[in-house]
Each structure stands twice: as structure tokens, then as C-alpha cells.
């Protein structure tokens, strides 16, 4: 284990406290309230689904967790440490990684080089970074495209590349932003399998997704945001039966079903 990993191990508390704790998170953009009074914990080793209608504040909350922006009020605690004012690179160094709703690849670089950008977070030497990147490409199922320019990938492959680059930073907490969007049923099944294997590696996952047929069987727990606030949270089967969730998000067709 390298020095960076040793440092991350030192941050983790000895108890099984939640890996992430959000307390009274508020975010505003001018007069618009994007998040309000958002409070929840994320247990270690779970897959958490963050769902809700468009404009519910999910992407804003992802940005707050990842360090893209600080909340105007509230606390973000990761591994027992208050990281509210730490920026994204500092949080990545501690073990938080994310993907983006619109993939952000370096299209003129090879797939392997894209993933090495992530692995350089943990490995200073190019040879070690390359070895780690190749392992991640094998794990995510796109090793056969390692030499291809990222710009040549299909949309599903680009989403896999996003996940691979995030995994190359060796996170403890992985934020997945709509990685299933636009996938065929067979591609989605492979995506579900990959997310489960990521969790089996001991990585906690928070995922934003709109495809309910995929999310609900996959996640251990679901949190529904509406108008920036937590509308409901709990086991998936309970959340989808919550009358407030049906009314605000799922609609009458779901109620009839």
C-alpha cells in the first residue's frame, strides 16, 4: 500500500460510523433555493439511490458532496472529518470520486491515458499509474478499447470510461450521475452488474438515476428529493409506496400499477 492509501486509512474512524453525513444542507442561487434542510447519513458499503423529478436538487447536492461547491449552510462530514469547505481535489484525495451526467472525456487522448489521469491521484510513477489504469479497464469491461481515442467510443462506452476514471482514483465513496441513461436493456444489465461488483469491492455508492426499473431492485436504500428537500427515505419498496412520492414524482400510473 502506498503512502496516499496509508493516509486515507488514517482518516477512517475505527467504528462503523456512516461514511457520509449531511446535516441541514442549504444551497441557493440568487433567489432560487436548490437544496433546503437536507439531512441524511450514508452507511458504509451500501448502494444509495438519490431520486426525484427534474429540478429536485439532485445534481446540486452531488456537487456539494463532491466539493464542486460549498453549501451556504450546513455540514458535510466524510469518514468522521468535516470536509464542508474542502474543494473537489482535496475530497478526491480523501476518497470521494464522481462521474458526470454528460461524460467528460479527453477525446483526443486514448482510453488508457484518460484513466491514467485518475490513477495519477494515487500513483506518482507513470508505470504504476498505467498498471493501475489497466486493471480498472479490465474490471469495467473496456480493456479492449484501451488504445482507442476516447472520442471514438460509443455513448455507453463513454459512460464506462467515466466510471473507470473515477475508480482509478481509488475512492471509498463513488457518486454515479445517471450512468444508466440511454442504455439498452442488455447494456443496463451489465451496468447493474458492474455497480454491484463495485460495492463488493467495499466502495460505497450513491447514484442518481431516473430509470426506476433499474434503481429500485439495485439500491439498498432510496432518498427522494423534491423542490430541494428530502421528501422520503427508506427501503426502496417503502419509498415507492409513499403517497407523497407517488404524488410528486411517480404519478398516477404508478399508483394504479
Amino acid at each position: 500500500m502506498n503512502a496516499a492509501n496509508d493516509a486515507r486509512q488514517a482518516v477512517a474512524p475505527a467504528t462503523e460510523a456512516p461514511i457520509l453525513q449531511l446535516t441541514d444542507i442549504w444551497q441557493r442561487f440568487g433567489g432560487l433555493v436548490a437544496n433546503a434542510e437536507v439531512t441524511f447519513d450514508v452507511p458504509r458499503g451500501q448502494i444509495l439511490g438519490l431520486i426525484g423529478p427534474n429540478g429536485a436538487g439532485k445534481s446540486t447536492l452531488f456537487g456539494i458532496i463532491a466539493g464542486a461547491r460549498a453549501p451556504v449552510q450546513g455540514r458535510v462530514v466524510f469518514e468522521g472529518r468535516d470536509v464542508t469547505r474542502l474543494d473537489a481535489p482535496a475530497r478526491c484525495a480523501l476518497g470521494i470520486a464522481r462521474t458526470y451526467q454528460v461524460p467528460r472525456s479527453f477525446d483526443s487522448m486514448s482510453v488508457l491515458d484518460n484513466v491514467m489521469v485518475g490513477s495519477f491521484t494515487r500513483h506518482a510513477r507513470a508505470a504504476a499509474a498505467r498498471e493501475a489504469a489497466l486493471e480498472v479497464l479490465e474490471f469495467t469491461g473496456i480493456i479492449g478499447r484501451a488504445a482507442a481515442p476516447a472520442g471514438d467510443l460509443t455513448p455507453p462506452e463513454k459512460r464506462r470510461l467515466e466510471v473507470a476514471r473515477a475508480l482509478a482514483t481509488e475512492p471509498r465513496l463513488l457518486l454515479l450521475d445517471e450512468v444508466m441513461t440511454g442504455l439498452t436493456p442488455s447494456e443496463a444489465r451489465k451496468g447493474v452488474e458492474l455497480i454491484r461488483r463495485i460495492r463488493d469491492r467495499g466502495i460505497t455508492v450513491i447514484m442518481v438515476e431516473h430509470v426506476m426499473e433499474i434503481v429500485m431492485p439495485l439500491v439498498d436504500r432510496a432518498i427522494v428529493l423534491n423542490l430541494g428537500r428530502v421528501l422520503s427515505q427508506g427501503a426502496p419498496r417503502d419509498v415507492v409506496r409513499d403517497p407523497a412520492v407517488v404524488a410528486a414524482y411517480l404519478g398516477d400510473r404508478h399508483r394504479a400499477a
Side-chain angles (χ1 to χ4, degrees):
M1 183 178 293
N2 61 29
N5 283 336
D6 287 335
R8 289 197 300 146
Q9 291 283 0
V11 171
T15 64
E16 285 301 313
I19 192 169
L20 182 73
Q21 297 167 286
L22 303 183
T23 305
D24 196 28
I25 297 294
W26 287 76
Q27 185 59 275
R28 300 182 182 89
F29 301 102
L32 173 66
V33 177
N35 295 125
E37 300 178 323
V38 175
T39 298
F40 61 82
D41 294 347
V42 181
R44 299 172 190 275
Q46 283 196 354
I47 302 174
L48 173 69
L50 188 62
I51 62 177
N54 290 331
K58 304 183 298 297
S59 293
T60 299
L61 191 62
F62 250 37
I64 289 171
I65 296 170
R69 56 175 61 88
V72 297
Q73 181 179 319
R75 297 177 72 229
V76 180
V77 174
F78 175 68
E79 297 274 33
R81 172 176 176 173
D82 190 334
V83 298
T84 310
R85 301 300 159 185
L86 294 184
D87 61 14
R91 294 194 203 187
C92 181
L94 290 176
I96 300 177
R98 70 168 296 181
T99 68
Y100 292 87
Q101 185 176 349
V102 178
R104 299 185 178 185
S105 59
F106 301 102
D107 285 351
S108 63
M109 294 167 53
S110 71
V111 168
L112 175 58
D113 286 344
N114 267 264
V115 179
M116 285 179 66
V117 169
S119 59
F120 273 122
T121 303
R122 304 292 171 207
H123 305 278
R125 296 180 179 275
R130 186 177 188 276
E131 181 178 353
L134 287 170
E135 190 278 330
V136 171
L137 287 172
E138 182 73 42
F139 177 77
T140 53
I142 54 173
I143 187 68
R145 303 287 272 158
D152 289 352
L153 299 185
T154 65
E157 288 172 336
K158 280 201 170 187
R159 293 195 180 280
R160 288 256 171 167
L161 174 57
E162 279 273 297
V163 175
R165 190 171 58 219
L167 286 175
T169 69
E170 300 178 16
R172 296 182 187 276
L173 175 63
L174 178 62
L175 311 176
L176 300 177
D177 197 348
E178 297 193 28
V179 295
M180 301 292 187
T181 298
L183 301 186
T184 66
S186 63
E187 290 165 347
R189 285 193 294 271
K190 292 177 182 177
V192 167
E193 179 186 347
L194 175 60
I195 293 169
R196 286 181 173 144
R197 288 193 292 118
I198 290 170
R199 189 263 311 275
D200 291 345
R201 282 192 163 195
I203 299 171
T204 304
V205 176
I206 305 177
M207 58 184 301
V208 168
E209 193 56 67
H210 284 291
V211 186
M212 300 297 287
E213 294 82 357
I214 293 174
V215 174
M216 288 311 176
L218 174 60
V219 303
D220 301 299
R221 186 161 150 261
I223 293 177
V224 183
L225 291 184
N226 187 46
L227 301 176
R229 298 175 182 268
V230 175
L231 180 64
S232 181
Q233 59 179 305
R237 68 177 63 186
D238 297 328
V239 166
V240 297
R241 294 170 180 164
D242 187 330
V245 174
V246 173
Y249 181 43
L250 299 178
D252 290 337
R253 291 181 62 186
H254 173 83
R255 188 195 307 273

